[in-house]
Amino acid sequence: MDYETLLLERAGGAIWITLNRPQALNAFTAQMNGELRRALLSATKEPNCRLVVITGAGRAFCAGQDLQARRQGFLEGQAPHLRDSLVQNYNPLVRAMRAAPQPILAAVNGVAAGAGMSLALACDLRFAVDEATFIQSFVRVGLTQDSGSSYTLPRLVGFGRASWLALSGEPLAAAAAEAIGLVNRVVPKDELVPAVRALADKLSALPAGVVAMTKRGLHRALELDLVRALEYEAWLQEIAGRGVSSTALRDRGGFLPGQADG
Ligand code: T3D
C-alpha cells in the first residue's frame, strides 16, 4: 500500500509508522489522518505484528492539526467545521487505536502538540527522547481539547495535573512527563530505537492473545464499576485459560458475545 505522508517499516515484531511531513512538524492534514488510520488497520492485521510504533520524521513527533491549511481556508472566507473534521478524521483514528489487539507505542522523538499530543496519549505506551515536550496547545490557538485528550489525559496523570496542562497550555518536558506517569520511559535520542526494539522482543516472547486481552481489560475496566469490571476480568480469564489465540479473537470480531468493538 502506498502512502504519501507516512513511512512504514517492519523491524522484528514491530511495525513502525513514521509521520512524514517534517516541514510542518508532521502536522495532521485530512490525508495524513486517513493514511494513518489505514496503515494502522493494515499493521494490526499482520500476523506477526506484536507492537505498532508511531513516531515522527525530523525533529518533531507531531504538531497537531495543520494550521496552515486552516489559515488558508480562513483567508478564503470558509468557516471551518471542526466537529466534522473531528468526527470524520480524529475520532475514528482514536477508536481504531483502542480496538487494535496489539499495543501501540508512541516513540515521541520531539515536540507533541495539540492533536499530536492527543495521538501520543491515545497510544498504550509512550517512550520519549529527553528533549521531547508535550503541549496541550489547544487553548493557545483558541480551541478546546480534542481527539481524546479530555478523556485520556486525566486518566493518565490525574484531574489536577490534566487541568493545569489543558488550561495553561504550558509545555511539559519529557523528564517531568515521566515523573507524572505520562511517559513510561525517557531515553537519549540515539537509544530510542534500541529501547523500542527491546520492548518489541519482549512482547514477541509473550502470548499475543493474552497481551491483547490485557490491553482490552485495562481499557474496559476504566469505564466500568467494580462489580462489572470483576465480571469482565473473569470472562477474559476464562478465554485466556483456554489459550485462545489473538488470531481467533480477531476473527471472532470481539471478546464477548455481542461486543464487536470490545
Ligand atoms: O482543525 C481541526 O480539525 C480541529 C483539530 C484541532 C486539533 C489541534 O491540533 S489544534 C492545535 C494545533 N497545533 C498547535 O497549536 C501547535 C502549533 N505549533 C506550535 O506551537 C509550534 O510550532 C511548536 C511548539 C509545535 C514548535 O515550535 P518551534 O519553535 O520548535 O517550531 P516553529 O518554528 O514554530 O515551527 C517550525 C515549522 O513548522 C514552521 O514552518 P516554517 O516557518 O519553517 O515554514 C511552522 O509554521 C510549522 N508548523 C508548526 N506547527 C504547525 C506548523 N505548520 C502547520 N501546522 C502546524 N500545527
Side-chain angles (χ1 to χ4, degrees), residues 44-55:
T44 60
K45 287 184 181 136
E46 291 269 337
N48 297 322
C49 174
R50 310 302 290 275
L51 178 70
V52 179
V53 183
I54 301 179
T55 193

Side-chain angles (χ1 to χ4, degrees), residues 4 17 40 54 57 96 112 123 126 131 146 163 175 203:
E4 288 180 8
I17 303 176
L40 189 74
I54 301 179
C123 290
R126 281 152 293 281
E131 67 228 45
D146 65 27
S163 299
L203 289 169

Side-chain angles (χ1 to χ4, degrees), residues 168-237:
S168 72
E170 288 282 328
L172 184 72
E178 186 181 33
I180 62 172
L182 191 149
V183 159
N184 300 99
R185 203 163 157 203
V186 176
V187 290
K189 199 170 198 161
D190 57 358
E191 287 176 26
L192 184 62
V193 171
V196 174
R197 190 171 301 144
L199 175 65
D201 288 348
K202 196 169 284 185
L203 289 169
S204 297
L206 299 172
V210 167
V211 172
M213 284 190 281
T214 302
K215 168 173 172 171
R216 188 55 55 100
L218 281 164
H219 289 304
R220 181 50 66 104
L222 283 178
E223 298 154 16
L224 299 177
D225 60 35
L226 177 64
V227 171
R228 295 183 65 217
L230 287 168
E231 277 171 22
Y232 195 71
E233 274 183 356
W235 267 111
L236 290 179
Q237 203 65 300

